[in-house]
Amino acid sequence: MAEALTELARHTSSLIWCGFAFFAFWLLRDPLVHRLGEMTGLKAVGFELSFVATRLAAAAVDASRTNTVVTSTLQKRQVQVTRGDRERVLRRAERCRPVLEGKRVLWIDDSVTNNRKEHELPEGLGLKVEQVQSNAAAEQALGKDGGGYDLILSDIARPDSPRAGLDFLDQYRLRGSEQTVPFILYIAALDERRPVPAGAFGLTNRPDALLHLVIDALERTD
């Protein structure tokens, strides 16, 4: 009897550990699979786009819950990113992969954790993304020669200033056309009547539109 109980306990312990391992893998499957692809050089379009599709869907869900469009009447509506929207941008990303592969992106955003899914999207398309959290850090990354970046992404409002991203955009424009690259603003709350700020390539709060803008910008500079 004692031997049977010991054997049962051993098998039960193994099953518990197997269950825990499976649960951990399920939670971390996307970053693990993506990292495995980077380590092993698996850069097949289908493999990478499956990762992008997963992160885009997750970002769209987050956007529909948290991002709002503020009107003059202070009414708010949720951002809607449909399956069709996601499929269109993924098909385009597949066609444009040669243009995107290896391009360098500087992303300025103090809310790295909140926008983690969006930050992973350009990397899934083959871009190399460097993230900084302040204008000062961005200026240091750019250096005197622009840092070799092909694109800049930025938020606008930060705790120290509601227009920090716009201030940096104005400062960046002073470098002159030979040292500047496309500048895209990705924000949480968007007034649809608001024009794209002077000097910016685009402005959006939608993850699918963000990918379209990235592709637009890099296609024109390729």
Side-chain angles (χ1 to χ4, degrees):
M1 185 63 164
E3 292 180 359
L5 290 175
T6 300
E7 188 69 14
L8 178 61
R10 185 172 65 82
H11 286 296
T12 301
S13 177
S14 298
L15 289 173
I16 290 174
W17 277 109
C18 288
F20 176 78
F22 177 79
F23 180 69
F25 175 77
W26 180 258
L27 289 177
L28 301 173
R29 64 192 185 282
D30 290 334
L32 284 174
V33 170
H34 185 58
R35 181 58 179 162
L36 178 62
E38 291 180 339
M39 293 174 63
T40 59
L42 296 176
K43 290 296 184 180
V45 171
F47 177 87
E48 290 295 336
L49 286 182
S50 67
F51 175 82
V52 175
T54 301
R55 308 318 287 164
L56 181 58
V61 169
D62 284 354
S64 69
R65 291 175 179 171
T66 61
N67 289 357
T68 58
V69 178
V70 182
T71 68
S72 58
T73 59
L74 300 182
Q75 296 177 340
K76 299 179 180 180
R77 69 175 176 83
Q78 294 180 331
V79 172
Q80 297 296 328
V81 181
T82 67
R83 177 177 294 183
D85 295 329
R86 297 196 297 270
E87 290 177 350
R88 276 188 288 275
V89 73
L90 289 171
R91 286 196 298 268
R92 186 181 180 199
E94 182 176 3
R95 294 194 305 269
C96 299
R97 181 58 184 261
V99 175
L100 308 177
E101 185 73 43
K103 294 295 193 300
R104 297 184 63 214
V105 178
L106 179 65
W107 194 320
I108 315 164
D109 191 338
D110 67 307
S111 301
V112 176
T113 302
N114 292 343
N115 292 329
R116 179 174 57 85
K117 299 180 183 68
E118 286 92 332
H119 287 168
E120 291 172 342
L121 289 173
E123 293 179 340
L125 297 178
L127 282 75
K128 301 181 183 300
V129 181
E130 180 178 343
Q131 300 173 14
V132 296
Q133 299 184 25
S134 68
N135 290 352
E139 190 63 40
Q140 184 175 5
L142 289 168
K144 294 182 178 180
D145 60 355
Y149 294 101
D150 300 287
L151 178 68
I152 297 177
L153 301 177
S154 179
D155 58 358
I156 291 183
R158 298 181 204 140
D160 58 333
S161 170
R163 53 168 290 123
L166 296 178
D167 290 340
F168 186 79
L169 173 60
D170 291 340
Q171 179 182 348
Y172 184 67
R173 291 173 60 201
L174 296 177
R175 287 175 171 265
S177 60
E178 293 183 358
Q179 296 186 34
T180 58
V181 297
F183 197 114
I184 297 172
L185 295 163
Y186 184 68
I187 61 178
L190 178 68
D191 183 343
E192 291 184 322
R193 301 168 307 161
R194 180 180 186 174
V196 176
F201 184 84
L203 169 73
T204 187
N205 65 333
R206 295 171 56 99
D208 60 320
L210 174 64
L211 291 186
H212 278 301
L213 284 171
V214 167
I215 297 171
D216 286 344
L218 293 178
E219 278 186 327
R220 297 185 187 187
T221 58
D222 187 55

